[in-house]
């Protein structure tokens, strides 16, 4: 009887990389999972080495640690003498996240994105039209204009080139987009044995690196929200951890709107990664909390901000990494009020969805 027999597959290490580079890739992943704790990541790496024989007699974990310090990824130069990752390691983590999340997607033209609008813009397009008063001379399509003159006036006698012969090349307008990424760091992001915060961090780092390298004129602000909301720097993402917080979506939206008010770009948008409903509201100096179902008071304030965002032409795209029916109802209502978008995504597909929505929104004028 013919058939197939399957055994455990252990992927080989990349033969084009040396021992340090193979271990570095694993180490950077572990640093992300440990919230930037280099010592804990090295401890995990040592345990993985015992189980999977990542090193060999010629190159051990101790050698790897020394190379990390020599190459500028790790330092002990601090008051407590603890292992800390450096700025070089933080940049490497972002690049690694970019390759992991967006590496298989098709590349587009670097740095900018086209819109359907034309006129006085940044780059020559392919559309042609007759000359009109006020057009710049550098917009004239010289070859096409000379051809028109020959067709209209012939070759005999004096050569004529009139205003009616001139053709203009339309310039394509390039847009700039301001994005605020909101990340839920409430306690539910690590409940039920599922680590949801690490994929969210990776997506945020990949998006940040994508914008910095491919769309440098765009802006990205990152907000985390639990009981309160606050802005973090891109370099802080590897250290991000979940806290014993409820979910104050209102605080996150208020801060996002405040940041976008300061941006002069015509296109503005909010991406929100969450796994639950809003359960917290700040009233004065006190917190109003209710984790049991959808609280009407909290819901009302959340929908009020969704409507304000719509009025300001700021779409909110919600990436819900949970699929409970009553949570879907909340997201559906929130999206309807805001006229935004919503995705119910697994953690695996989160990066692709965010990239596609970011790229799609850059072609719009909201």
């Amino acid at each position: 009887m013919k058939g197939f027999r399957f055994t455990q597959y252990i992927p080989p290490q990349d033969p084009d990389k040396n021992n340090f580079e193979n271990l570095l890739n694993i180490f950077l992943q572990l640093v992300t999972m440990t919230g930037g704790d280099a010592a804990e990541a090295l401890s995990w790496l040592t345990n993985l080495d015992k189980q999977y024989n990542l090193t060999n007699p010629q190159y051990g974990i101790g050698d790897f640690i020394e190379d990390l310090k020599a190459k500028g990824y790790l330092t002990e130069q601090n008051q407590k003498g603890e292992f800390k990752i450096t700025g070089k390691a933080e940049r490497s983590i972002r690049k690694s996240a970019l390759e992991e999340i967006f590496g298989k997607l098709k590349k587009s033209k670097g740095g900018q994105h086209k819109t359907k609008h034309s006129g006085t813009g940044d780059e020559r397009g392919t559309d042609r039209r007759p000359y009109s008063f006020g057009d710049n001379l550098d917009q004239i399509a010289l070859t096409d204009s000379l051809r028109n003159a020959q067709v209209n006036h012939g070759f005999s006698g004096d050569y004529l080139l009139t205003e009616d012969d001139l053709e203009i090349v339309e310039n394509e307008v390039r847009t700039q987009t301001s994005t605020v990424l909101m990340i839920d760091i409430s306690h539910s992001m690590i409940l039920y044995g599922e680590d949801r915060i690490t994929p969210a961090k990776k997506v945020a780092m990949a998006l940040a690196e994508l914008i910095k390298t491919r769309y440098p004129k765009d802006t990205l602000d990152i907000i985390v929200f639990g009981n309160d909301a606050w802005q973090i720097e891109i370099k802080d993402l590897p250290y991000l951890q979940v806290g014993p917080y409820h979910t104050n979506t209102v605080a996150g939206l208020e801060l996002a709107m405040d940041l976008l008010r300061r941006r002069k770009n015509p296109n503005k948008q909010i991406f929100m990664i969450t796994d639950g409903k809003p359960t917290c509201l700040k009233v004065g100096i006190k917190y109003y909390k209710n984790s049991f179902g959808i609280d009407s008071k909290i819901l009302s304030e959340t929908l009020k901000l969704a409507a304000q965002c719509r009025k300001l032409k700021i779409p909110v795209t919600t990436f819900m990494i949970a699929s409970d029916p009553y949570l879907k109802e909340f997201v559906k209502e929130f999206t309807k009020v805001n006229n935004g978008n919503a995705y119910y995504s697994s953690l695996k597909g989160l990066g692709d969805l965010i990239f596609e929505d970011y790229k799609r929104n850059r072609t719009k004028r909201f």
Side-chain angles (χ1 to χ4, degrees):
M1 179 177 174
K2 294 184 179 180
F4 298 94
R5 177 176 295 177
F6 296 94
T7 58
Q8 183 182 10
Y9 172 72
I10 301 176
Q13 293 185 335
D14 190 339
D16 296 330
K17 295 183 178 180
N18 57 33
N19 292 326
F20 173 79
E21 290 173 326
N22 284 316
L23 288 174
L24 178 63
N25 183 50
I26 300 172
F27 173 70
L28 294 178
Q29 296 280 352
L30 294 176
V31 167
T32 304
M33 297 174 66
T34 60
D37 191 329
E40 186 177 358
L42 289 171
S43 178
W44 287 12
L45 183 62
T46 302
N47 290 331
L48 289 173
D49 180 37
K50 291 179 182 178
Q51 187 172 357
Y52 296 104
N53 298 319
L54 301 176
T55 61
N56 55 57
Q58 289 74 39
Y59 191 86
I61 297 298
D63 298 313
F64 174 65
I65 294 173
E66 291 302 315
D67 281 347
L68 283 175
K69 292 190 287 186
K71 295 177 184 294
Y73 291 95
L74 201 64
T75 181
E76 293 178 283
Q77 303 299 321
N78 53 76
Q79 293 181 348
K80 297 182 179 179
E82 299 174 343
F83 283 131
K84 299 286 185 182
I85 61 173
T86 63
K88 182 179 180 179
E90 294 167 359
R91 290 190 298 272
S92 296
I93 291 172
R94 292 199 300 271
K95 290 180 180 178
S96 176
L98 177 62
E99 292 173 1
E100 178 184 347
I101 302 298
F102 300 145
K104 296 180 181 179
L105 298 174
K106 294 181 180 179
K107 292 183 179 180
S108 64
K109 293 182 179 180
Q112 301 172 345
H113 202 93
K114 296 180 182 179
T115 72
K116 62 183 180 182
H117 302 280
S118 61
T120 304
D122 305 313
E123 186 169 314
R124 291 172 70 86
T126 57
D127 294 337
R128 301 289 194 273
R129 63 171 174 80
Y131 173 86
S132 60
F133 179 77
D135 288 329
N136 293 326
L137 294 180
D138 59 2
Q139 288 182 257
I140 296 175
L142 184 59
T143 302
D144 295 330
S145 299
L146 292 174
R147 184 188 65 243
N148 293 339
Q150 292 173 351
V151 171
N152 295 335
H153 310 294
F155 295 95
S156 60
D158 296 333
Y159 184 82
L160 293 176
L161 177 66
T162 67
E163 180 180 331
D164 294 333
D165 301 323
L166 298 179
E167 274 193 34
I168 294 297
V169 182
E170 287 280 26
N171 285 351
E172 293 176 340
V173 178
R174 299 284 178 164
T175 64
Q176 298 178 16
T177 301
S178 291
T179 303
V180 172
L181 178 62
M182 294 172 51
I183 303 176
D184 185 350
I185 58 169
S186 62
H187 186 57
S188 61
M189 291 287 279
I190 55 170
L191 282 180
Y192 315 116
E194 185 174 32
D195 178 11
R196 296 169 175 172
I197 190 63
T198 298
K201 287 196 296 183
K202 284 186 177 181
V203 168
M205 289 187 288
L207 184 62
E209 195 67 16
L210 178 79
I211 291 174
K212 286 169 67 72
T213 56
R214 193 177 300 182
Y215 305 109
K217 292 185 178 180
D218 285 8
T219 65
L220 175 66
D221 295 295
I222 301 173
I223 289 173
V224 295
F225 62 104
N227 290 350
D228 293 290
W230 59 95
Q231 186 179 9
I232 64 172
E233 300 293 332
I234 293 174
K235 64 181 179 63
D236 299 327
L237 280 169
Y239 309 98
L240 190 60
Q241 295 184 11
V242 168
Y245 307 126
H246 287 69
T247 307
N248 191 344
T249 308
V250 168
L253 290 172
E254 286 177 339
L255 180 55
M257 292 168 65
D258 185 52
L259 290 172
L260 289 174
R261 284 191 191 98
R262 307 174 194 173
R263 300 297 185 184
K264 303 304 180 183
N265 293 341
N267 289 353
K268 301 177 181 181
Q269 61 184 347
I270 297 173
F271 287 164
M272 179 168 63
I273 303 175
T274 183
D275 70 336
K277 61 189 182 298
T279 59
C280 179
L281 192 66
K282 195 167 186 180
V283 182
I285 60 173
K286 295 184 178 181
Y287 294 97
Y288 175 85
K289 303 174 183 177
N290 183 3
S291 301
F292 302 98
I294 302 291
D295 186 284
S296 59
K297 182 176 181 178
I298 299 175
L299 177 63
S300 175
E301 291 299 317
T302 306
L303 295 181
K304 187 185 300 183
L305 283 179
Q308 288 183 23
C309 285
R310 180 175 181 173
K311 186 177 181 180
L312 295 172
K313 297 183 179 180
I314 302 175
V316 181
T317 303
T318 305
F319 299 90
M320 177 62 74
I321 48 180
S323 56
D324 304 57
Y326 79 101
L327 293 179
K328 287 186 175 181
E329 286 300 316
F330 156 69
V331 174
K332 183 178 179 181
E333 187 173 2
F334 179 87
T335 303
K336 181 179 179 181
V337 172
N338 174 255
N339 196 30
N341 298 302
Y343 298 96
Y344 307 94
S345 169
S346 66
L347 293 171
K348 186 176 181 181
L350 184 61
D352 290 358
L353 285 176
I354 286 185
F355 175 81
E356 290 300 330
D357 208 68
Y358 175 77
K359 188 171 66 173
R360 186 184 307 114
N361 285 350
R362 294 195 83 256
T363 67
K364 299 178 181 177
R365 284 190 178 275
F366 299 116

